[in-house]
Amino acid sequence: MSDVESLLQEVSAYLKPEDVENIQRAIELCKNAHHGQLRQSGEAYFTHPIAVARILTSLHLDTQAIIAAVLHDVVEDTAITTVDIAAQFGKACPNWLTA
C-alpha cells in the first residue's frame, strides 16, 4: 500500500467522506505542483508533505490541518499561490493562508 493510500485509509477512519474528498483534491494538487521535484535523497518531493500529513492524521487532527500539511510547501516551492489554494479550498482552509 502506498503512503497516499495509507493516508486516505487513515483519514477515512475518522473524517466524513466529503472531508476525505477534499484531502484527495489537495493530494492531487500537491502531486501535480511538485511533479519532477526531488529531495536530496532522490525521492520524489511529494513524499515529504504526505509523511507530514500522516503524522497529523495519527493525532486525528481535522481536515484543515491535514490539507495544510499536504500543501505546506506548495506555495513556497511551486508556482501555485495562496490565491490559487483559497480558490480551490476556501479562505479558511488551510488557516495559514491568511497568516
Side-chain angles (χ1 to χ4, degrees):
M1 180 180 296
S2 74
D3 287 343
V4 170
E5 291 169 332
S6 295
L7 172 60
L8 292 172
Q9 183 178 33
E10 291 160 5
V11 295
S12 294
Y14 72 95
L15 293 175
K16 297 178 209 171
E18 57 268 22
D19 293 331
V20 176
E21 287 177 21
N22 283 330
I23 291 168
Q24 284 179 296
R25 289 188 315 112
I27 290 168
E28 285 305 310
L29 176 64
C30 178
K31 185 186 260 184
N32 292 333
H34 287 296
H35 181 75
Q37 292 180 338
L38 300 177
R39 298 185 57 73
Q40 285 184 324
S41 65
E43 289 181 296
Y45 190 83
F46 173 69
T47 60
H48 167 70
I50 297 303
V52 172
R54 289 192 69 200
I55 291 167
L56 299 185
T57 299
S58 73
L59 301 170
H60 287 197
L61 294 186
D62 66 11
T63 304
Q64 290 180 341
I66 303 304
I67 290 173
V70 170
L71 299 178
H72 79 270
D73 279 332
V74 167
V75 174
E76 183 177 327
D77 297 331
T78 76
I80 305 294
T81 67
T82 56
V83 173
D84 298 328
I85 293 172
Q88 291 188 46
F89 299 98
K91 274 193 168 183
C93 185
N95 291 331
W96 51 265
L97 288 175
T98 58

